[in-house]
Amino acid sequence: MTGKLVLSVTGLTVRFGGVSAVSDLSLRVDDGEIVSLIGPNGAGKTTLLNAVSGFLALNAGTVAVAGRNVTGEPPHQRMRLGIGRTFQHARLLDELTVLENILVGGYSGPRRTSFVAEWLRLPWMMHRLCQKRAEALALLDALKLSSLANVKVGEISFGRKKLVDLARALMTKPRLLLMDEPTAGLSEAEIERLVGVIKQIRATVAILLVAHHMKFVANVADRVVCLAAGRVIAEGPPQEVQTNPRVLAAYIGTA
Ligand SMILES: Nc1ncnc2c1ncn2[C@@H]1O[C@H](COP(=O)(O)OP(=O)(O)O)[C@@H](O)[C@H]1O
Ligand SMILES: [Mg+2]
């Protein structure tokens, strides 16, 4: 289904006090696409992801998901509409097991109904829970983490926590997955595993990710967008952007 617009950001501006972290930025991600954001520290990459997922208010611009304007919608509403995200430092509950953490991620929040209605729904809810559990176990299998299903998250490595966080995000079946620095803190072996996982899931979800690891970016991204000082300074296939003189200059701070 490549070619269908899944994310459209137009004229996005986010200011902190007097400083513009992102200025008049426009960006699109199509279905089936993997887009990588690169750029020096402070370029506005995390701010852009936070604005898209609804964690930050915009000063100007619009965010649309699959043609629907979500500007001003809260994060949980955007999640329902298909935006999933992983965090640079996985936000998991150390006291719960890997499987429990993933199930919590797949729970889309309370609905307001009466007690009787809930009681009548009980068999259906039990059925849903079994279904969710099966989905979570299948995801763990795909990520080769099955052996950790019943281990407490507090006991697993940083790299594995990031994979569990990815599984948690995938439980909501997003159309667009936002990943902030998924390779940060991972070993080369873990990065290779992440590349494998991304190639596996790319048929079902478009991805907008932030990464500094150039080999990883070249391996997974269809398109690279380079930000500097809150603006897009280059865009195109990985090899082209990575050798662009403006991009190289931005990294050594002369742009
Ligand atoms: N919560 C905040 N309050 C004030 N300034 C912020 C905040 N978050 C980010 N900034 C500033 O916005 C700019 C962009 O930051 P950020 O989006 O984190 O960059 P990146 O992820 O590309 O390193 C930086 O100048 C940063 O100092
Ligand atoms: Mg950042």
Side-chain angles (χ1 to χ4, degrees):
M1 285 230 301
T2 313
K4 215 166 143 240
L5 192 62
V6 70
L7 173 72
S8 167
V9 172
T10 28
L12 180 77
T13 299
V14 179
R15 280 190 285 270
F16 295 110
V19 181
S20 286
V22 173
S23 304
D24 193 22
L25 186 145
S26 296
L27 176 92
R28 62 178 281 161
V29 179
D30 287 340
D31 248 341
E33 224 188 353
I34 299 182
V35 177
S36 176
L37 290 170
I38 64 166
N41 271 339
K45 305 177 298 293
T46 297
T47 302
L48 172 59
L49 292 196
N50 285 339
V52 169
S53 53
F55 284 84
L56 266 181
L58 318 183
N59 291 95
T62 58
V63 176
V65 180
R68 174 167 169 169
N69 189 341
V70 298
T71 320
E73 301 262 17
H76 68 268
Q77 182 59 18
R78 297 190 198 199
M79 192 183 89
R80 287 219 176 105
L81 293 169
I83 298 185
R85 72 174 293 180
T86 63
F87 295 88
Q88 192 171 339
H89 298 284
R91 296 179 178 185
L92 301 167
L93 301 163
D94 280 352
E95 286 307 309
L96 296 187
T97 67
V98 165
L99 180 62
E100 285 162 351
N101 266 279
I102 297 174
L103 285 170
V104 170
Y107 178 65
S108 63
R111 283 165 216 276
R112 234 168 291 183
T113 57
S114 72
F115 173 76
V116 174
E118 285 299 313
W119 190 76
L120 288 172
R121 271 160 43 99
L122 201 55
W124 178 84
M125 277 163 42
M126 293 307 284
H127 170 71
R128 284 285 290 163
L129 194 61
C130 289
Q131 215 176 23
K132 287 279 164 207
R133 198 168 180 280
E135 280 172 24
L137 287 170
L139 263 174
L140 283 177
D141 189 39
L143 299 178
K144 300 194 176 63
L145 294 173
S146 297
S147 62
L148 297 181
N150 298 313
V151 176
K152 281 189 179 170
V153 158
E155 290 164 22
I156 67 174
S157 72
F158 179 80
R160 294 223 162 119
K161 276 186 191 167
K162 290 187 84 155
L163 285 174
V164 173
D165 191 39
L166 173 59
R168 176 202 53 75
L170 291 173
M171 275 302 279
T172 62
K173 298 201 174 72
R175 300 186 61 161
L176 173 72
L177 180 63
L178 308 170
M179 304 175 87
D180 198 358
E181 309 217 6
T183 59
L186 298 196
S187 67
E188 288 299 315
E190 285 170 332
I191 291 175
E192 260 181 49
R193 185 150 155 201
L194 182 64
V195 169
V197 169
I198 288 179
K199 287 187 171 163
Q200 218 175 314
I201 62 174
R202 67 166 306 157
T204 54
V205 62
I207 301 175
L208 177 62
L209 58 85
V210 174
H212 292 291
H213 191 285
M214 290 305 171
K215 192 171 145 220
F216 170 80
V217 171
N219 258 330
V220 300
D222 301 306
R223 188 154 57 88
V224 173
V225 175
C226 180
L227 303 190
R231 294 176 189 274
V232 174
I233 60 159
E235 183 169 353
Q239 282 75 9
E240 208 177 288
V241 174
Q242 284 170 0
T243 54
N244 180 317
R246 291 189 70 189
V247 172
L248 299 174
Y251 270 95
I252 53 172
T254 57

